[in-house]
Amino acid sequence: QVQLVESGGGLVQPGESLRLSCAAVGSILRINFMGWYRQAPGKPRELVARISSGGSSNYADSVKGRFTISRDNAKNTVYLQMNNLKPEDTAVYYCNANIIRVGLPYPSDNWGQGTQVTVSS
């Protein structure tokens, strides 16, 4: 079994920063893509940023230049550094990882429980 354990959400004022972390734990053989999605009330879940095992990343246009995704492959952990936060960044942020488990020949898509980020003055 594999779990994604998230941390780092909270309440901040506009212009401030937050760093989200997500650690994959369990019987893991390899992790392909890791990423962050978010879902605001009444809106569909959307991709924020994603990073490959080799370090290639892509971002939603709305966060380019403000957010940075990174990962530590030795720790099976992905991070999202969020700077210059705006009220429209308010959402539940979900970690996602494409993982090949020990003993299984195919990868599976895994999700974290979600962490709330609120940007408000």
Side-chain angles (χ1 to χ4, degrees):
Q1 188 172 356
V2 171
Q3 286 186 315
L4 300 182
V5 181
E6 303 167 355
S7 61
L11 171 64
V12 296
Q13 295 188 346
E16 294 186 338
S17 299
L18 276 176
R19 188 190 194 210
L20 305 183
S21 299
C22 171
V25 295
S27 300
I28 297 169
L29 181 62
R30 188 173 75 244
I31 302 178
N32 297 320
F33 282 93
M34 301 185 82
W36 292 93
Y37 288 71
R38 67 185 180 187
Q39 187 167 20
K43 293 187 177 181
R45 190 174 295 188
E46 63 174 358
L47 174 67
V48 176
R50 193 172 67 159
I51 186 168
S52 70
S53 58
S56 299
S57 59
N58 60 286
Y59 298 87
D61 288 342
S62 59
V63 307
K64 284 180 181 176
R66 299 188 298 121
F67 291 11
T68 302
I69 190 170
S70 60
R71 63 189 282 176
D72 184 333
N73 290 330
K75 297 181 179 179
N76 290 335
T77 298
V78 63
Y79 307 95
L80 186 67
Q81 177 67 42
M82 304 184 293
N83 298 330
N84 190 22
L85 282 159
K86 303 176 180 181
E88 52 263 42
D89 295 317
T90 296
V92 178
Y93 284 70
Y94 296 91
C95 177
N96 171 262
N98 186 263
I99 296 173
I100 299 177
R101 304 180 191 179
V102 173
L104 294 179
Y106 50 85
S108 62
D109 223 23
N110 300 267
W111 293 90
Q113 77 281 4
T115 184
Q116 178 69 46
V117 172
T118 302
V119 185
S120 176
S121 56

